[in-house]
Amino acid sequence: MIVRESVCKTILNRGGLSDYTLNCYTGCSHACVYCYARFMQRFHPHDEPWGQFVDVKVNAVEVLKRQLRRATPGRVFISSACDAWQPIEAQWRLTRRCCELLLEHGFSLGTLTKSTLIRRDFDVFAGRPVRLGVTLTTLDRRLQQLWEPAAATAEDRLSVLRDAQQAGIETSVMLGPLLPFLSDSETQIEELLRRAAECGAKQVWVDALNPRPRVWPAVAELLRAEFPSLLPQYRRMLFDPAARAEYLSQIRTRVMAAARRANVADRVTACVY
Ligand code: SF4
């Protein structure tokens, strides 16, 4: 893992997913194959492949303090282009300090992680306007190791949810991206929804795999090595508009049927477009 120190001009940025986004790191050592943040390498070129570098924005806290003098309070998504609780955060604690500052200044937080390190910050979140989210793509350990090689196990993420709920923190789950033809059957979705609900998730979003920039080469490489027979199906699902529309329609139907069977339809939103 190549770690570099960098400086940023802004850290609290207006974002499409929330009022603001905040990323204390560029790059993510979790190295998920389907990671949508791979597009960052267009703007921050690195010699290393995605997952093998992290730039630490060492002035993040100072920059945030400056920005907070003027910023209007709103909801902040942490984080949109990295996992804010990836291992290096244990050493730098930048995400923690930024969360403390944001909450002190009247902002609310929505977090999303695949790391158990977020437990460290329950004391910052408890009793505050924070919704703690974890991402799940599959409960199958082998699949998870292939697609999310350095993230916490699905069981560990579920235990984070349980502990957060017990600590009085509101929780949510992002199911996604569902792995096409691998973790997207109605039965698999139902099991994911049941487990998320058992662990206290108040909201569940479901996402399908999208052909975001730089995702396909990484996905295709994995498929070639591990699931070669699925390569043509993935290509069609991602790039043939008719096949994609049909796939997304099937996923919507499966998600809603699975949600009804798991008795969680009121908590589930299928973000499948
Ligand atoms: S944890 Fe999130 S940001 Fe990190 S590599 Fe995986 S998908 Fe990308």
Side-chain angles (χ1 to χ4, degrees):
M1 177 62 51
I2 304 298
V3 177
R4 298 182 184 89
E5 297 185 11
S6 67
V7 290
C8 58
K9 292 195 176 116
T10 62
I11 191 77
L12 185 65
N13 295 308
R14 286 281 177 189
L17 294 168
S18 202
D19 298 325
Y20 300 96
T21 60
L22 182 136
N23 293 272
C24 292
Y25 306 96
T26 302
C28 183
S29 58
H30 287 167
C32 304
V33 173
Y34 54 73
C35 179
Y36 298 161
R38 288 171 180 271
F39 77 90
M40 293 296 293
Q41 282 192 279
R42 264 156 70 170
F43 310 107
H44 303 275
H46 288 74
D47 292 337
E48 305 82 24
W50 182 257
Q52 292 184 26
F53 67 88
V54 180
D55 294 351
V56 180
K57 300 178 188 177
V58 294
N59 62 339
V61 175
E62 287 66 38
V63 170
L64 180 60
K65 281 181 186 165
R66 174 175 52 75
Q67 286 188 268
L68 286 174
R69 283 187 219 129
R70 292 176 170 211
T72 309
R75 192 161 187 84
V76 186
F77 178 43
I78 301 174
S79 286
S80 59
C82 69
D83 194 316
W85 286 271
Q86 60 181 299
I88 197 150
E89 164 66 11
Q91 170 192 341
W92 282 87
R93 301 168 74 88
L94 295 175
T95 300
R96 180 183 169 94
R97 284 291 297 124
C98 288
C99 288
E100 287 173 333
L101 281 168
L102 288 165
L103 291 167
E104 282 164 16
H105 284 77
F107 288 73
S108 60
L109 309 180
T111 73
L112 195 56
T113 187
K114 294 183 185 121
S115 169
T116 56
L117 179 60
I118 197 166
R119 266 202 198 91
R120 179 200 64 187
D121 297 338
F122 282 4
D123 62 320
V124 176
F125 301 153
R128 315 292 278 280
V130 176
R131 182 160 57 199
L132 181 150
V134 302
T135 309
L136 294 171
T137 53
T138 176
L139 297 171
D140 181 310
R141 183 77 182 112
R142 176 174 172 260
L143 282 180
Q144 195 241 304
Q145 282 174 321
L146 287 172
W147 289 85
E148 304 161 340
T153 66
E155 290 302 327
D156 282 347
R157 295 178 222 171
L158 285 163
S159 82
V160 165
L161 272 191
R162 261 193 312 269
D163 294 348
Q165 191 204 20
Q166 279 167 13
I169 301 164
E170 190 182 326
T171 57
S172 65
V173 166
M174 167 60 78
L175 291 190
L178 295 171
L179 305 171
F181 320 112
L182 292 170
S183 75
D184 62 350
S185 74
E186 195 173 308
T187 312
Q188 288 166 312
I189 297 168
E190 183 183 341
E191 182 62 10
L192 283 161
L193 291 174
R194 279 191 195 284
R195 296 297 311 279
E198 278 165 20
C199 294
K202 292 279 178 290
Q203 277 287 315
V204 182
W205 289 274
V206 186
D207 186 25
L209 183 68
N210 290 299
R212 298 271 171 81
R214 301 196 176 219
V215 168
W216 174 240
V219 168
E221 188 182 332
L222 172 65
L223 293 174
R224 250 179 241 112
E226 301 290 337
F227 308 100
S229 64
L230 290 181
L231 200 54
Q233 279 172 272
Y234 267 67
R235 192 180 279 116
R236 268 200 309 281
M237 185 282 286
L238 287 170
F239 302 111
D240 175 327
R244 179 157 183 79
E246 189 187 335
Y247 175 78
L248 296 182
S249 165
Q250 286 170 1
I251 290 295
R252 275 191 292 272
T253 304
R254 281 179 218 168
V255 168
M256 295 332 291
R260 279 194 296 274
R261 285 220 305 270
N263 208 19
V264 294
D266 56 332
R267 304 188 209 177
V268 176
T269 307
C271 318
V272 177
Y273 313 110

